[in-house]
Amino acid sequence: DPLWQQKMGTVRSGSREILQNFAGQTSSVDPPDCNGTAGPNHYMQTINFTYNIYDKEGNHVAGPTPLNSLFSGVPGSGTNDGDPIILYDEQAGKWMVAEFSGIFGPDYMMVAVSQTDDPTGLWDRWSWPMTGFPDYMKFGVWRDGYYMGTNTPGGSEIYAFERDVMLAGGANPKMVQFSNPWRPNSGFHCVLPVDNDGEYAPAGTPGMFMTINDNAWGYADELWVYELDVDWTNTNNSTFNRVQQISVDAFDSNLGSTWNNNIPQPGTGQMLDGIPQILMHRVVYRKFDTTQNIVCNHTVDVDGFDHAGIRWYELQHNGTDWEIRQSGTYAPDNDNRWMGSISINEDREIALGYSVSSYTTYPSIRFTGQTADENAQASGLMDVAETSIQEGTSSQTSSNRWGDYSNMSVDPVDGHSFWFTTEYAISSFSKGTRIVSFTLPTAPDVDFMASDTLPSTSDTVYFTDLSTGNPFFWSWSFATPNVTFMEGTSAGSQHPVVRFDSQASYTVELTATNSVGPSTLVKTDYVQVGDIFKITAGASPAEICTGDTTYLSATPSGGSGTYTYYWYSDPPGFSDTTENPM
């Protein structure tokens, strides 16, 4: 793989913090289809065929509850067929949950939307008949609709649902559907809708879908971009088109001839499905002040020997089209990494979570990431040191099906911290799940203070570094160079001691560096240095009553230059600028 990152990132810092890491649901279903996301006060996790609700400190609030109970009363809800998806619609402040029905009967898609941002409260629900079984459906939130892609060869596989009506709890939201004439020739395939995190895409932007195409299936190694331009007034005017075929660095999506021989495990011949022929849940869109960006990932063979790694991309809109800003393939050792989920936060930090397994490593959960400083360089490298969320304790021998998907999301409250959930092996047939929240390392947040900002040239000033983020290198500078470092300190000390040798205004600058990089704070004219002088002041007579007159006098001594006098009373009522006012 030409983009193969063969070494782990090295950035470690106390500013990277595991905020929460708690147990989710346990499943004996193959696959468990674990996914979840955070809202303002809760984390909601679904697996086949139940959901749990936690507060954001990991305390169990509700569940496990049968998933189909959310759809009670609509067609299809009598079964609990699975493939759950949950998203938090942060612009609306509501949750969206979907489940298909049709394994043992007519094909339906069921969607429920919470009435508030509290998932333990009331929900509205709907059901639509499908044209073909909506296998492996994936959803994305967009301004004008909830968009869905499915693995439905020969049937309709591209959908949009009328979000505004659903958010209002309306009885009959519309649906549009399309068959995809540009479906890659990979067999199993799902074209993923793009999910809008944070601020909406610009008004009028059509709903988007994306997928990969391997040249082994025909055409070239590419990312394909589609647009569904929906007209809810007259749905017959809606259109679906492939609008871009973006060339990418060569990749190999073949991890073996069948699902049964992709990912090895210790002590067993049973291998796990690597799902290498599709983009993984989710394709994430985020609008920044000056750019629009998308991140996505899929699993590849990095060396031709069925060694699974994760190819990831960041795309940026150039005003006309989407183009690759950076891309990389993360496979830093002999372990296999697959079933990734990726997201980008408001600080342009990227987090990537995934499963890990090999002949010597039980199926486990880890994550890496790209710091904002590295992202600014568009290096294609994950520079954050890999972190273990949970190490597996067993191999799965019950089947080859593993997970199918996971989810990395960004906390909608702070726009900064990440949440990730997926499974790991705890026995030959049972999977545990974890729910983790974390932040990535950042450059130091620099601050400092001085013991005296109005010293004389004979005073000693103690500076205190108040920076956070575990810096290990400091560099102080003063715009006026006439300073003497005292008590064995220097410009490289964390807390220098300084004597200012000239009467002047001093601008103070501190650069602090940690494992991410440097950060600088400048305080302009922070220290004002002058001479020492004394004032002897008096009044004659010293004690007076209202209506009396007294003579004030002041005798300054020391210092240099011409004295200026400012007399005033407290409370206000008298002021003067002469040497001896009456």
Side-chain angles (χ1 to χ4, degrees):
D1 191 301
L3 301 180
W4 186 2
Q5 179 180 339
Q6 300 187 45
K7 294 183 178 180
M8 293 185 188
T10 59
V11 174
R12 297 180 183 274
S13 170
S15 60
R16 178 192 63 188
E17 184 177 3
I18 300 294
L19 304 174
Q20 299 292 338
N21 187 355
F22 56 89
Q25 300 176 81
T26 300
S27 175
S28 58
V29 177
D30 296 335
D33 293 346
C34 173
N35 70 112
T37 194
N41 303 299
H42 299 87
Y43 190 91
M44 188 170 180
Q45 184 199 52
T46 64
I47 59 172
N48 287 327
F49 304 93
T50 59
Y51 69 87
N52 265 8
I53 299 173
Y54 309 86
D55 67 24
K56 290 166 82 171
E57 286 70 49
N59 299 304
H60 184 249
V61 174
T65 305
L67 187 65
N68 63 329
S69 66
L70 287 174
F71 312 103
S72 179
V74 303
S77 63
T79 61
N80 199 11
D81 289 345
D83 269 20
I85 288 292
I86 180 164
L87 299 171
Y88 184 71
D89 186 342
E90 61 183 291
Q91 294 295 338
K94 296 185 177 184
W95 304 77
M96 190 220 78
V97 176
E99 182 183 22
F100 63 43
S101 178
I103 294 177
F104 303 107
D107 299 325
Y108 291 100
M109 179 53 54
M110 301 178 295
V111 178
V113 174
S114 65
Q115 294 184 5
T116 70
D117 64 10
D118 182 356
T120 68
L122 298 177
W123 291 69
D124 297 308
R125 55 196 58 83
W126 305 267
S127 178
W128 292 266
M130 295 282 101
T131 307
F133 180 56
D135 181 46
Y136 198 82
M137 82 288 181
K138 297 294 171 285
F139 274 81
V141 177
W142 207 249
R143 181 195 294 263
D144 62 355
Y146 292 126
Y147 287 78
M148 180 180 79
T150 68
N151 170 46
T152 314
S156 295
E157 55 186 305
I158 303 296
Y159 293 83
F161 302 91
E162 195 174 13
R163 174 174 174 263
D164 286 349
V165 174
M166 297 167 75
L167 293 176
N172 297 297
K174 298 174 184 176
M175 176 189 74
V176 298
Q177 58 184 332
F178 292 89
S179 295
N180 182 8
W182 305 280
R183 176 187 172 90
N185 188 30
S186 64
F188 170 81
H189 205 91
C190 178
V191 175
L192 262 62
V194 178
D195 187 28
N196 192 154
D197 280 3
E199 183 182 346
Y200 283 139
T205 303
M208 293 188 293
F209 292 76
M210 286 184 63
T211 196
I212 56 170
N213 186 78
D214 190 326
N215 62 2
W217 313 331
Y219 299 98
D221 290 333
E222 294 175 328
L223 284 172
W224 289 358
V225 182
Y226 309 78
E227 289 182 350
L228 200 172
D229 195 350
V230 65
D231 183 343
W232 291 119
T233 302
N234 184 352
T235 56
N236 291 328
N237 291 333
S238 302
T239 59
F240 175 74
N241 291 289
R242 184 179 63 186
V243 296
Q244 277 190 262
Q245 295 171 253
I246 304 173
S247 295
V248 300
D249 286 273
F251 65 84
D252 176 9
S253 66
N254 186 355
L255 288 174
S257 58
T258 71
W259 291 357
N260 207 43
N261 60 358
N262 291 174
I263 307 295
Q265 308 175 86
T268 178
Q270 177 66 66
M271 294 190 177
L272 303 174
D273 178 15
I275 322 178
Q277 62 269 59
I278 56 172
L279 287 175
M280 298 306 297
H281 180 67
R282 298 172 297 137
V283 177
V284 177
Y285 168 97
R286 188 173 287 276
K287 182 179 182 296
F288 296 97
D289 289 341
T290 57
T291 66
Q292 302 176 66
N293 295 57
I294 288 174
V295 293
C296 56
N297 82 99
H298 59 102
T299 305
V300 297
D301 177 6
V302 298
D303 58 11
F305 295 97
D306 297 337
H307 178 193
I310 298 178
R311 170 67 70 87
W312 62 275
Y313 308 90
E314 181 186 11
L315 294 88
Q316 190 162 292
H317 201 262
N318 62 20
T320 303
D321 293 315
W322 290 95
E323 57 189 17
I324 303 293
R325 179 174 181 264
Q326 61 170 336
S327 54
T329 301
Y330 186 74
D333 57 24
N334 292 329
D335 283 345
N336 295 273
R337 289 162 178 81
W338 85 107
M339 210 177 76
S341 188
I342 194 169
S343 194
I344 183 169
N345 67 11
E346 292 179 358
D347 305 307
R348 297 181 186 263
E349 299 171 333
I350 295 175
L352 175 65
Y354 39 84
S355 294
V356 180
S357 183
S358 68
Y359 289 111
T360 58
T361 300
Y362 291 117
S364 304
I365 309 172
R366 300 179 193 169
F367 76 86
T368 185
Q370 186 183 65
T371 63
D373 284 30
E374 193 75 20
N375 183 270
Q377 302 175 46
S379 65
L381 297 176
M382 293 290 176
D383 61 323
V384 175
E386 185 172 84
T387 298
S388 174
I389 297 171
Q390 179 70 50
E391 293 303 304
T393 56
S394 177
S395 294
Q396 174 181 293
T397 60
S398 53
S399 81
N400 60 18
R401 300 298 300 281
W402 180 259
D404 272 7
Y405 49 97
S406 58
N407 192 39
M408 180 75 73
S409 58
V410 175
D411 194 301
V413 175
D414 62 25
H416 174 68
S417 54
F418 294 96
W419 289 85
F420 181 58
T421 189
T422 193
E423 72 269 16
Y424 66 100
I426 56 177
S427 75
S428 61
F429 60 88
S430 184
K431 276 80 62 181
T433 67
R434 300 298 297 184
I435 298 167
V436 62
S437 176
F438 60 90
T439 59
L440 295 185
T442 59
D445 184 6
V446 181
D447 195 10
F448 60 85
M449 64 178 294
S451 61
D452 187 356
T453 59
L454 297 170
S456 71
T457 53
S458 62
D459 287 336
T460 298
V461 179
Y462 293 82
F463 282 87
T464 302
D465 167 45
L466 302 174
S467 303
T468 59
N470 292 334
F472 52 76
F473 179 81
W474 298 266
S475 177
W476 296 82
S477 65
F478 304 87
T480 302
N482 298 324
V483 300
T484 299
F485 289 96
M486 311 291 288
E487 300 182 12
T489 63
S490 69
S493 299
Q494 182 179 8
H495 308 296
V497 182
V498 174
R499 185 185 68 209
F500 294 89
D501 298 329
S502 299
Q503 297 180 51
S505 294
Y506 285 77
T507 293
V508 182
E509 176 180 311
L510 171 60
T511 297
T513 303
N514 66 7
S515 59
V516 176
S519 186
T520 299
L521 174 65
V522 177
K523 294 189 178 183
T524 303
D525 295 335
Y526 181 57
V527 178
Q528 308 287 329
V529 182
D531 272 346
I532 294 178
F533 61 92
K534 297 180 179 179
I535 302 175
T536 301
S540 179
E543 296 180 1
I544 57 175
C545 296
T546 301
D548 292 344
T549 298
T550 187
Y551 295 87
L552 305 178
S553 62
T555 306
S557 62
S560 60
T562 303
Y563 297 110
T564 302
Y565 299 87
Y566 299 94
W567 296 89
Y568 64 94
S569 61
D570 184 17
F574 164 76
S575 63
D576 198 277
T577 58
T578 61
E579 182 176 355
N580 298 302
M582 179 180 69

